[in-house]
Amino acid sequence: MTEQASHTPRVFSGVQPTGNLHLGNYLGAIRKFVTLQHEMASMFCIVDLHAITVWQDPKALKAQTGEIAAAYLAAGIDPERAIIFHQSAVPQHAELAWIFQCVARMGWLNRMTQFKDKAGKDKERASVGLFTYPTLMAADILAYKATHVPVGEDQKQHLELARDIAGKFNLDFGAEDFFPLPEPLIRGAGARVMSLRDGTAKMSKSDPSDNSRITLTDDADAIAKKIKKAKSDPEVLPSEEAGLEGRPEAANLVGIYAALSQKSMDDVLFEFGGQGFGAFKPALAELAVEKLAPISAEMRRLMDDPAHIDRVLKDGARRAGAIAEGVLADTKKIVGFLGR
Ligand code: AMP
Ligand code: TRP
């Protein structure tokens, strides 16, 4: 905290427009954005530049960008209060990312586990952008000197890299405290929602099985069906969290219930301990429908009004651009670029 004491608090986060926005994205990220917008100046980005690190069909990319904007609004982000915009509309992200690619070291990026996961066995065929992705993420945050970054657990390593880049830039250029070292906000229920088909794999947009995730566009029937089909085990639920050890599917379903109801795992188990999944799953389905159906209905309504979404994004891009422009001008001066 001390290293950012001199910086105005600002929240920045982003979601990729890659389709299949799911419960993990909602509980791990978007729901936290809604709360944070009341605590600090906040910016929520749709990171389309990140999305194209793997192939995106151009038509689908456009639609999915609108879908994330609709999800932000439907979940309760107020575009008057927070800045909602798409990354490619503010060119300073890519410009700062280049500078950061010259600050970050190959060794740092070589350690990124998400690259290893996403590139798979054949790293030679992965895009260069997939490898340098975390430098762009650091640029997203630092183009606004953001101090707080709410994300799910899977982004922890990328956030540490962003802090390393900020620190090395400040040190190399003798610009002490120019960039803040952004603080990850990861804790809390929902930071790591697992697949409904495998309690040891995270819920993900790219899982080939649609039954592995609840998406924000699922209707009540689909939500109930997916929970009914979710992998569980034959035991009854324990009455305390410690009893879930070695039962990843049970832990995940109880965790989802706790996150949705904003109760602790122990409180949920106090209520359901001793009961089997025959009783727990219908209760979870009812809760999930109660919490998610209003959001998906509002999302569908908003997606039918692209002109409104367009206005929100244009206004957001204008406000974001005004901030990034100032930070980039100072950064370029520090690096030693001649002004125009
Ligand atoms: P992405 O879909 O990769 O752009 O992720 C958007 C946000 O959702 C990031 O903050 C992620 O950390 C978060 N997130 C993604 N998957 C999960 C998950 N299974 N559980 C919790 N948070 C997640
Ligand atoms: N890498 C993040 C993800 O895949 C998305 C992202 C891009 C992001 N830029 C960011 C998140 C800046 C927080 C801050 O989920």
Side-chain angles (χ1 to χ4, degrees), residues 205-218:
K205 289 170 174 170
S206 56
D207 192 313
S209 164
D210 193 45
N211 283 327
S212 69
R213 62 185 158 255
I214 292 172
T215 70
L216 291 191
T217 45
D218 280 342

Side-chain angles (χ1 to χ4, degrees), residues 22-25 27-28 31 153 188-204 207 211-214 226-233 237-238 240-261 263-266 268-269 272 277 280-281 283-285 287-288:
H22 55 71
L23 185 63
N25 299 131
L27 293 174
R31 191 175 67 174
E153 179 75 37
R192 192 166 168 79
V193 177
M194 309 308 278
S195 158
L196 297 181
R197 308 298 301 161
D198 174 1
T200 64
K202 74 171 180 179
M203 185 176 283
S204 112
D207 192 313
N211 283 327
S212 69
R213 62 185 158 255
I214 292 172
K226 287 177 180 178
I227 291 177
K228 194 167 170 198
K229 282 200 171 157
K231 191 169 170 200
S232 58
D233 60 36
L237 287 171
E240 283 173 10
E241 189 176 349
L244 290 170
E245 194 131 341
R247 298 176 64 186
E249 282 80 21
N252 187 39
L253 295 176
V254 173
I256 291 173
Y257 192 103
L260 283 170
S261 60
K263 288 184 183 157
S264 71
M265 298 277 273
D266 277 340
V268 175
L269 291 171
F272 290 99
F277 285 94
F280 182 68
K281 278 184 173 179
L284 176 59
L287 176 67

Side-chain angles (χ1 to χ4, degrees), residues 69-326:
Y72 282 170
L73 295 170
I77 297 172
D78 173 0
E80 307 272 317
R81 187 180 276 278
I83 297 177
I84 298 178
F85 71 110
H86 57 298
Q87 191 182 24
S88 61
V90 181
Q92 283 83 1
H93 290 240
E95 198 178 354
L96 186 57
W98 176 259
I99 295 174
F100 286 170
Q101 281 170 47
C102 302
V103 172
R105 305 289 93 181
M106 288 294 286
W108 299 3
L109 288 170
N110 270 329
R111 284 194 284 277
M112 294 295 114
T113 59
Q114 184 172 292
F115 174 76
K116 289 178 200 161
D117 291 348
K118 283 202 178 175
K121 282 192 206 80
D122 198 355
K123 291 186 187 32
E124 297 291 311
R125 295 180 60 88
S127 73
V128 176
L130 190 67
F131 184 69
T132 60
Y133 176 116
T135 61
L136 177 60
M137 180 162 161
D140 297 340
I141 299 163
L142 295 169
Y144 305 96
K145 297 191 174 182
T147 53
H148 293 79
V149 185
V151 280
E153 179 75 37
D154 61 341
Q155 295 302 312
K156 190 166 174 225
Q157 197 184 31
H158 290 160
L159 251 295
E160 280 159 12
L161 190 91
R163 290 170 64 91
D164 289 345
I165 289 176
K168 187 170 192 298
F169 181 97
N170 291 348
L171 193 71
D172 286 355
F173 292 101
E176 198 192 332
D177 211 30
F178 177 71
F179 285 121
L181 307 194
E183 196 77 34
L185 300 176
I186 296 178
R187 284 164 296 274
R192 192 166 168 79
V193 177
M194 309 308 278
S195 158
L196 297 181
R197 308 298 301 161
D198 174 1
T200 64
K202 74 171 180 179
M203 185 176 283
S204 112
K205 289 170 174 170
S206 56
D207 192 313
S209 164
D210 193 45
N211 283 327
S212 69
R213 62 185 158 255
I214 292 172
T215 70
L216 291 191
T217 45
D218 280 342
D219 60 19
D221 282 352
I223 294 173
K225 198 186 85 208
K226 287 177 180 178
I227 291 177
K228 194 167 170 198
K229 282 200 171 157
K231 191 169 170 200
S232 58
D233 60 36
E235 315 278 315
V236 297
L237 287 171
S239 48
E240 283 173 10
E241 189 176 349
L244 290 170
E245 194 131 341
R247 298 176 64 186
E249 282 80 21
N252 187 39
L253 295 176
V254 173
I256 291 173
Y257 192 103
L260 283 170
S261 60
Q262 296 184 282
K263 288 184 183 157
S264 71
M265 298 277 273
D266 277 340
D267 282 346
V268 175
L269 291 171
F270 181 77
E271 192 179 339
F272 290 99
Q275 300 188 40
F277 285 94
F280 182 68
K281 278 184 173 179
L284 176 59
E286 194 182 329
L287 176 67
V289 169
E290 177 198 321
K291 299 287 179 188
L292 301 177
I295 298 174
S296 55
E298 179 63 3
M299 259 179 87
R300 277 192 289 272
R301 193 189 68 76
L302 286 161
M303 283 190 288
D304 278 342
D305 188 0
H308 174 64
I309 298 217
D310 217 49
R311 275 194 302 276
V312 168
L313 292 179
K314 282 221 171 79
D315 178 58
R318 186 186 52 75
R319 288 151 68 199
I323 306 169
E325 210 177 326

